[in-house]
Amino acid sequence: MQRLFHFIASRPWQLAVIQTAALLSCFFLFGSPLLAEENKTSKPEPFQLYLVPDDALGVFALRPAQLLAEPAFKPVLELTVMEQQKDPHYGLLGINPIDLKTVTMIHFLQKPEKTGQGLYSIVYLIEVTNQQAHTKIQKTIKETELVNSTYRGKTFLTTASNQGSSVMFLDEKALLFSDKASTLKKIIDQIQDRKDHAWKERLQPMLSNSVVGGINLQQLRETLAAPFTQSLTQQTPFWPMIAPVWQNTEIATLGITVQKELSLELIFEQKNDSEQTKQCLQGLLAMGQNILSQMKTAMKQSDRPWQPAEEAQFNHFEQFLKSSQVKQTANRVTFSSSISADLVSEMVVRSNPELQEARVAARRSVAKNNIKQIMLALHNYHERHHHFPPAVVMGPDGKTPHSWRVELLPYLDQQALYDKYRLNEPWDSEHNLKIAESVVPVFSHPNSSKPANTGYFVVVGEGTAFGNKQGVSFKEITDGTSNTIAVVEAKRDIPWTKPEDIHYDGKKLPKFGGFSENPPVNGQPAIGVYYVGSCDGRARMIMDNMDQELLKALLTIADGKPDHSQ
């Protein structure tokens, strides 16, 4: 029976989808709900919340298949594929997570019968998207030691003691399971007695959302009593600001829709003091804005440059806080906002170290491949013209400057874009600025928050691989093509069409990189890393702590100091 609940414990998709949704719920609890974006296609079927008894502490439901299909959850989907390749039994009872139509968790409070027993019990309602997945679950369960049991005319599977883990099939695509037969019986009571559907009514406007949730805070307060509240008061920062939400709210509900953006709505139902709760939430929102502003100012004044992920995260949270609203209608306080798909993806990744590591590796692979593609294009250009393009290429009139990146477009399968660019006009003419808005993947660094900017530059200056106006040839690189850098990765706010690169005067090294860093190791600080392209076509990684004299030697084509470090 342990296999039945194995997916709850530590599966990456579980952490990244269910836990992420839960983290979003907690995060926005004192943040702001988003106005759900209307689905322009078809709405999914409502969650089956009629199964939730009125005395349930709360319910949390989500649509894994839908979420994994969203671009924001692409990292989770990629990790899912990787895990399936390593383990054919990956997922819930070997079921592919993308075959999970809905997962609904119904929470109950219980009085512990003995010391160490949990305070909560949960019933899981699982709906799959196809009959094959359901059949696979049935086959797996048959291999367990569960036995048939009957309660109020309903048959379910449970342990021999009739008290432990239990499973009940509702239809051809849905089943219930719980770690306690007594908890599962509460759902059977709900089905047989046709009791009021209070939770369904509370969440009615949200039943077609991607994620819904609700909690009976009044029941929770009454059960946990004063000692728990006292503990919250002592351990929670800013408790006086948060207290009205905890003390006054009877029911809190949550709805999240993930489409082109994430939309969230958080509603607090109260008998009285709703104005106080409104002021509390508005105060928390203002405090969040102030803290974010102070942190951003401190980062800008810091000696350490911003990493792209940090900058993007701050920008996204600024957007979130600016779009947040708090409204009050009678005894209902609503907190709403919207958040970009990019930030959703970032939060998903940060909630799971495996996803974060996979993303870092994937983006470095893209950055390295971009360098390789640029170097291949430069070699093809050299084969035709017998030299590299100069860093600045003059137009047909002999005086209008253009970037080598524009000149290289035909060698990067971008002939159509090259044909649209007007070489007889400046790069920043009205027409050419529209071309600059086009994203050329090979020039866009995967960690850049501005995809239309270039992340790749040549080094110009006397004695460099792009140090003359005619274009350097291989025969001029007497230090050896493998010992000479042609292209570098650098974070600068420069459109890819602008004829501007990085100048090296032979003395002071310019600043390269800025997109990536290796994490701290053994108490040592993080070290910046970046890729460069050697004139022989290779891409190699360089660290910020590389010997400066060696790096200077690599930037020149004929200083008589070839690199013997390889």
Side-chain angles (χ1 to χ4, degrees), residues 314-441:
F314 269 94
N315 292 338
H316 288 317
F317 273 110
E318 272 190 326
Q319 171 199 340
F320 162 70
L321 292 174
K322 288 178 180 178
S323 65
S324 299
Q325 298 181 28
V326 179
K327 295 182 179 179
Q328 177 192 357
T329 304
N331 291 329
R332 169 181 288 191
V333 179
T334 303
F335 195 49
S336 63
S337 184
S338 60
I339 191 172
S340 70
D342 289 341
L343 180 54
V344 176
S345 181
E346 190 67 28
M347 293 178 70
V348 168
V349 171
R350 289 182 178 275
S351 72
N352 191 309
E354 291 186 58
L355 285 175
Q356 197 159 357
E357 292 173 7
R359 167 175 279 192
V360 170
R363 289 186 172 182
R364 286 191 178 181
S365 177
V366 171
K368 183 177 182 180
N369 187 63
N370 286 349
I371 291 277
K372 288 183 175 181
Q373 292 299 314
I374 292 172
M375 292 310 306
L376 178 61
L378 285 172
H379 274 239
N380 289 335
Y381 183 98
H382 190 289
E383 183 176 355
R384 180 174 180 180
H385 298 278
H386 309 294
H387 58 77
F388 285 151
V392 177
V393 181
M394 294 301 171
D397 59 3
K399 59 182 181 181
T400 304
H402 302 286
S403 172
W404 62 273
R405 288 176 288 270
V406 173
E407 185 74 0
L408 218 58
L409 288 175
Y411 301 88
L412 293 166
D413 295 325
Q414 295 286 344
Q415 183 67 50
L417 189 60
Y418 179 78
D419 292 340
K420 293 179 181 179
Y421 187 92
R422 294 177 182 174
L423 295 171
N424 59 344
E425 296 180 9
W427 76 273
D428 55 354
S429 68
E430 182 178 356
H431 174 82
N432 284 343
L433 280 178
K434 293 179 181 178
I435 303 299
E437 296 174 357
S438 301
V439 176
V440 180

Side-chain angles (χ1 to χ4, degrees), residues 243-263:
V245 177
W246 166 255
Q247 295 168 350
N248 302 332
T249 303
E250 293 187 336
I251 303 292
T253 57
L254 167 76
I256 298 175
T257 296
V258 182
Q259 292 176 359
K260 293 182 180 179
E261 63 179 6
L262 183 146
S263 300

Side-chain angles (χ1 to χ4, degrees), residues 185-392:
K185 290 177 182 179
K186 291 184 178 183
I187 307 300
I188 295 177
D189 288 336
Q190 175 73 10
I191 295 172
Q192 297 298 74
D193 294 340
R194 301 179 180 275
K195 295 182 178 180
D196 294 337
H197 302 153
W199 278 110
K200 180 181 178 182
E201 293 173 5
R202 290 164 181 159
L203 295 168
Q204 184 65 42
M206 308 172 180
L207 291 185
S208 296
N209 286 18
S210 307
V211 179
V212 300
I215 183 171
N216 188 329
L217 288 179
Q218 181 178 2
Q219 181 187 154
L220 187 62
R221 287 194 302 270
E222 292 173 351
T223 303
L224 298 179
F228 180 77
T229 301
Q230 185 177 2
S231 176
L232 284 177
T233 304
Q234 295 172 348
Q235 300 179 17
T236 306
F238 313 113
W239 175 253
M241 297 186 67
I242 301 172
V245 177
W246 166 255
Q247 295 168 350
N248 302 332
T249 303
E250 293 187 336
I251 303 292
T253 57
L254 167 76
I256 298 175
T257 296
V258 182
Q259 292 176 359
K260 293 182 180 179
E261 63 179 6
L262 183 146
S263 300
L264 177 148
E265 188 172 59
L266 188 57
I267 300 173
F268 301 91
E269 299 281 358
Q270 305 179 322
K271 283 186 177 180
N272 47 47
D273 296 323
S274 54
E275 177 65 28
Q276 186 181 14
T277 298
K278 174 187 174 182
Q279 293 175 0
C280 161
L281 295 175
Q282 289 176 331
L284 288 169
L285 182 59
M287 182 177 68
Q289 292 171 332
N290 290 335
I291 291 175
L292 190 64
S293 177
Q294 292 171 11
M295 292 176 65
K296 192 170 185 178
T297 300
M299 284 295 296
K300 287 183 176 180
Q301 294 174 348
S302 172
D303 293 334
R304 184 176 72 85
W306 277 42
Q307 290 298 307
E310 295 172 333
E311 185 175 8
Q313 190 174 15
F314 269 94
N315 292 338
H316 288 317
F317 273 110
E318 272 190 326
Q319 171 199 340
F320 162 70
L321 292 174
K322 288 178 180 178
S323 65
S324 299
Q325 298 181 28
V326 179
K327 295 182 179 179
Q328 177 192 357
T329 304
N331 291 329
R332 169 181 288 191
V333 179
T334 303
F335 195 49
S336 63
S337 184
S338 60
I339 191 172
S340 70
D342 289 341
L343 180 54
V344 176
S345 181
E346 190 67 28
M347 293 178 70
V348 168
V349 171
R350 289 182 178 275
S351 72
N352 191 309
E354 291 186 58
L355 285 175
Q356 197 159 357
E357 292 173 7
R359 167 175 279 192
V360 170
R363 289 186 172 182
R364 286 191 178 181
S365 177
V366 171
K368 183 177 182 180
N369 187 63
N370 286 349
I371 291 277
K372 288 183 175 181
Q373 292 299 314
I374 292 172
M375 292 310 306
L376 178 61
L378 285 172
H379 274 239
N380 289 335
Y381 183 98
H382 190 289
E383 183 176 355
R384 180 174 180 180
H385 298 278
H386 309 294
H387 58 77
F388 285 151
V392 177

